[in-house]
């Protein structure tokens, strides 16, 4: 510094200015680094506000998943009992009660009843009574199944809770499926189970039929009005059917009277609107069964039976309910939809007696 031509104070000024510039440069570098990291921090915090669907799906559940989760819940609970008699190979199922059922009607209630069957024999089904406008019905009904011990482990008990509708299809609230292989049947079981969404695998659908019943005790006239049917089973090669309906009256388990509708061509949803009047004295009404059967007409071959059902004091479930409503409301026609059942199930429930044969006298 002593030999430099520049004054000493100038050199000191230059050195200080250089140090300040270097410090400012370092500060700028730090600020730039920080400003690049801040957007990432904001993006992490405000991710819900991002409109991009791909990004939001990574952190939010899909609406369909939420709806499915809601559907799985709030269906209610069912209390039931199981008792297996190893000696006579008989399973007794008790449907006790249900609580907190899902409301299916607009008034915030339901009209529940329970269908009980085993997957090893879907044709044999039992129904409880219908309970009006309640989400906590008390059934206290029991049903008996003949199940060989060798078939117990292969069977599943199904209890389905439905909401009754007189003029439309009954809505299923939920079901309980209990594989008997998972149950210890050495002792009586009584437990609660949550209702789950009904399984999509169900038995063959034969169709539904709507008809009206009216009984006048003073005149002894029973009026059956066959209105319509829908979603009948396809019986012909063209994917349709030629349906007609038979109405049988059975007295004391013997065939008594019968009538039939006209044939409707090439349809699975026929409209009949045909009325039949039967003379049934009031003294016989408790012993009469009304059998409704739907047939497929064939010109060349034999007519084929699609499905059937019966009503009367010996009936169960919706059929008994319809019959009881008719008796409770004399002179008033009451219409209702019914699900067709396999013919062999109805025939077994009816337990028809064979016609009496006259003895042959030898000479």
């Amino acid at each position: 510094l002593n030999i430099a031509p520049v004054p000493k104070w100038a050199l000191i000024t230059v050195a200080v200015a250089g140090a300040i510039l270097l410090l400012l440069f370092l500060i700028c570098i730090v600020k730039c680094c920080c400003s690049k990291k801040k957007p990432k921090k904001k993006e992490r915090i405000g991710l819900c506000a991002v409109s991009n669907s791909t990004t939001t799906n990574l952190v939010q559940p899909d609406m369909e998943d939420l709806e499915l989760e809601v559907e799985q819940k709030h269906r209610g609970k069912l209390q039931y009992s199981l008792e297996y008699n190893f000696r006579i190979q008989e399973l007794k199922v008790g449907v006790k009660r249900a609580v907190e059922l899902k409301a299916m009607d607009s008034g915030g209630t339901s009209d529940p009843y329970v269908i009980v069957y085993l997957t090893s024999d879907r044709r044999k089904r039992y129904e409880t009574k219908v309970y009006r406008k309640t989400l906590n019905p008390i059934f206290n009904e029991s049903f008996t199944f003949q199940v060989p011990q060798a078939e117990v482990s292969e069977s599943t008990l199904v209890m389905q809770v439905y909401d009754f509708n007189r003029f439309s299809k009954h809505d299923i609230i939920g079901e309980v499926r209990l594989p008997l292989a998972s149950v210890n049947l050495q002792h009586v079981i009584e437990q609660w189970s949550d209702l789950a969404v009904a399984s999509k695998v169900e038995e063959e659908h034969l169709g539904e039929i709507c008809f009206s019943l009216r009984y006048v005790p003073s005149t002894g006239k029973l009026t059956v009005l066959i209105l319509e049917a829908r979603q009948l089973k396809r019986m012909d090669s063209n994917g349709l059917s030629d349906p007609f309906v038979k109405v049988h009256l059975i007295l004391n388990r013997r065939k008594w009277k019968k009538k039939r509708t006209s044939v409707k061509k090439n349809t699975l949803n026929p409209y009949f609107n045909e009325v039949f009047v039967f003379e049934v004295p009031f003294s016989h009404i408790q012993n009469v069964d009304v059998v409704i059967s739907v047939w497929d007409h064939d010109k060349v071959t034999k007519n084929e039976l699609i499905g059937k059902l019966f009503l009367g004091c010996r009936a169960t479930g919706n059929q008994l309910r319809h019959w009881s409503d008719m008796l409770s409301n004399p002179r008033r026609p009451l219409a209702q939809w019914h699900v067709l059942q396999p013919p062999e199930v109805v025939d077994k429930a009816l337990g028809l007696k064979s016609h009496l044969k006259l003895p042959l006298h030898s000479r």
Side-chain angles (χ1 to χ4, degrees):
L1 293 175
N2 294 328
I3 63 174
V6 181
K8 184 176 181 180
W9 61 268
L11 292 175
I12 294 174
T13 302
V14 172
V16 172
I20 293 174
L21 289 175
L22 180 62
L23 181 62
L24 291 174
F25 180 72
L26 292 175
I27 292 174
C28 290
I29 293 177
V30 173
K31 284 187 176 183
C32 289
C33 293
C34 293
S35 62
K36 289 180 181 179
K37 292 181 180 179
K38 282 182 180 180
K40 293 184 179 180
K41 186 176 181 181
K42 288 182 179 179
E43 184 180 349
R44 256 195 328 268
I45 297 174
L47 199 57
C48 295
V50 180
S51 60
N52 185 279
S53 59
T54 304
T55 307
T56 55
N57 283 337
L58 296 176
V59 294
Q60 293 179 341
D62 189 34
M63 289 304 297
E64 293 181 0
D65 295 335
L66 288 175
E67 291 174 0
L68 181 60
E69 185 178 352
V70 172
E71 185 181 4
Q72 293 284 354
K73 296 179 180 179
H74 309 303
R75 294 187 170 270
K77 296 183 178 182
L78 182 68
Q79 185 187 33
Y80 55 91
S81 64
L82 296 177
E83 181 179 0
Y84 186 73
N85 190 317
F86 288 88
R87 183 176 60 83
I88 59 176
Q89 301 186 46
E90 184 178 270
L91 177 67
K92 185 176 181 181
V93 180
V95 180
K96 301 296 184 179
R97 58 184 301 191
V99 296
E100 300 175 357
L101 292 178
K102 181 180 178 181
M104 306 296 287
D105 299 336
S106 57
T109 61
S110 295
D111 301 321
Y113 68 96
V114 183
I115 292 179
V116 184
Y117 66 89
L118 293 173
T119 55
S120 57
D121 186 7
R122 295 174 181 267
R123 296 174 299 178
K124 187 171 186 179
R125 299 156 63 98
Y126 293 106
E127 296 181 10
T128 68
K129 296 178 182 178
V130 179
Y131 288 82
R132 299 287 187 178
K133 297 183 179 180
T134 178
L135 301 179
N136 302 282
I138 300 177
F139 300 104
N140 283 336
E141 297 187 42
S142 59
F143 310 102
T144 302
F145 298 89
Q146 295 295 329
V147 187
Q149 188 173 346
E151 298 180 5
V152 170
S153 60
E154 301 175 358
S155 299
T156 297
L157 175 65
V158 182
M159 293 169 284
Q160 297 177 322
V161 183
Y162 279 84
D163 173 49
F164 173 85
N165 293 299
R166 182 177 295 278
F167 301 110
S168 61
K169 186 177 181 180
H170 301 173
D171 299 316
I172 187 165
I173 300 175
E175 70 176 13
V176 173
R177 286 183 177 262
L178 186 66
L180 297 183
S182 64
V183 180
N184 183 7
L185 295 175
Q186 296 293 334
H187 55 84
V188 179
I189 297 172
E190 184 169 319
Q191 61 188 23
W192 288 88
S193 290
D194 292 324
L195 292 175
V197 178
S199 173
K200 299 296 182 182
V201 181
E202 287 299 326
E203 64 183 41
E204 183 181 25
H205 185 71
L206 301 177
E208 301 173 55
I209 184 169
C210 182
F211 55 87
S212 169
L213 297 178
R214 178 176 181 262
Y215 184 65
V216 182
S218 58
T219 60
K221 292 186 182 297
L222 174 64
T223 304
V224 181
L225 172 60
I226 305 298
L227 292 168
E228 59 180 314
R230 64 188 179 192
Q231 300 176 4
L232 295 178
K233 179 182 176 182
R234 295 175 173 83
M235 303 296 288
D236 298 337
S237 57
N238 61 358
L240 299 173
S241 296
D242 302 320
F244 67 94
V245 179
K246 288 184 180 180
V247 181
H248 282 84
L249 258 59
I250 296 174
L251 179 61
N252 294 323
R253 301 195 178 189
R254 288 189 175 89
K255 293 181 179 180
W256 187 27
K257 302 177 181 180
K258 66 177 180 179
K259 296 184 180 182
R260 56 173 286 180
T261 68
S262 58
V263 177
K264 305 299 179 182
K265 295 289 186 178
N266 298 325
T267 178
L268 301 178
N269 302 283
Y271 180 76
F272 298 100
N273 197 27
E274 298 184 36
V275 62
F276 306 110
V277 180
F278 299 92
E279 297 285 343
V280 182
F282 184 70
S283 58
H284 292 347
I285 196 64
Q286 299 290 338
N287 300 317
V288 166
D289 297 306
V290 179
V291 181
I292 309 291
S293 56
V294 181
W295 296 73
D296 173 50
H297 175 74
D298 286 306
K299 291 183 178 180
V300 181
T301 60
K302 187 178 179 181
N303 296 334
E304 295 180 277
L305 182 55
I306 299 176
K308 64 196 306 186
L309 58 97
F310 83 96
L311 302 93
C313 294
R314 296 192 296 134
T316 59
N318 296 318
Q319 288 76 37
L320 178 60
R321 182 77 185 189
H322 195 177
W323 187 260
S324 301
D325 288 346
M326 179 199 71
L327 296 179
S328 302
N329 298 272
R331 295 177 295 278
R332 177 184 171 188
L334 294 173
Q336 184 174 318
W337 282 95
H338 292 273
V339 177
L340 292 173
Q341 300 173 6
E344 57 271 19
V345 175
V346 178
D347 292 341
K348 185 176 180 180
L350 286 170
L352 297 180
K353 296 180 180 179
S354 59
H355 293 287
L356 295 176
K357 295 183 179 180
L358 297 176
L360 297 175
H361 296 283
S362 59
R363 295 181 179 178

